[in-house]
Amino acid sequence: MTLLTGCSSAAVGDTSSPGKPLELRLLISSVDGPCTAPALTSDDAGTACDREGTTTYELAKVLGEVTPDSVALSEDQGSANSVTLGLSDADTGTLGDVSREALNKNLAIVLEGRVLSAPLVKDALIASMLTLMFETASEAKQVAADLGAPATP
């Protein structure tokens, strides 16, 4: 999965809703293969799995937390595999500060103790709208649901 910044295209009609908190942590290392680590429950460094249980991550302590004001699936045909997150000014500031600290490092985005993504940060993330891109539309739909977006028809 890739994390993109900037204004995104319109999200699906009335499917926008507040999201769940996302922890931001530096990635120390990762290993592909079955993962059985329990969900992280502490702000300290620890081990976590991805959502599918196919990768084990060693993560640093929490650097910050953001809670999207809105979560929506994209309605653009070319972006059916994406979820758009809207952030408040305060959370945009937190993400900017954390991403500056994470330049040229992998920043893990953790939801409910599981890693959603751990993209390499090339630039500070300072946009109030973020788009998470996934390999499949079904994966994007599941992540949107996990983040609290209402179900779409």
Side-chain angles (χ1 to χ4, degrees), residues 5-141:
T5 65
C7 289
S8 70
S9 54
V12 173
D14 295 321
T15 61
S16 182
S17 69
K20 294 179 181 174
L22 299 169
E23 291 180 352
L24 306 171
R25 298 169 177 254
L26 289 178
L27 174 67
I28 297 169
S29 67
S30 64
V31 177
D32 289 333
C35 178
T36 59
L40 286 172
T41 58
S42 150
D43 289 349
D44 296 330
T47 302
C49 300
D50 62 349
R51 293 177 47 257
E52 297 81 22
T54 58
T55 304
T56 303
Y57 294 91
E58 290 297 324
L59 303 172
K61 68 179 180 162
V62 173
L63 296 175
E65 183 176 285
V66 297
T67 302
D69 287 340
S70 64
V71 177
L73 286 167
S74 175
E75 71 178 8
D76 276 355
Q77 288 179 332
S79 304
N81 300 357
S82 66
V83 176
T84 302
L85 308 176
L87 300 176
S88 69
D89 289 344
D91 282 342
T92 299
T94 297
L95 183 61
D97 292 344
V98 168
S99 62
R100 279 183 202 86
E101 188 173 332
L103 285 175
N104 298 312
K105 299 175 187 171
N106 291 84
L107 181 64
I109 302 167
V110 180
L111 173 67
E112 296 176 335
R114 302 271 182 224
V115 177
L116 280 180
S117 177
L120 179 65
V121 177
K122 290 294 197 176
D123 290 307
L125 305 172
I126 56 172
S128 62
M129 296 295 286
L130 298 177
T131 301
L132 300 174
M133 300 292 294
F134 299 90
E135 291 186 30
T136 66
S138 63
E139 185 180 6
K141 188 173 182 177

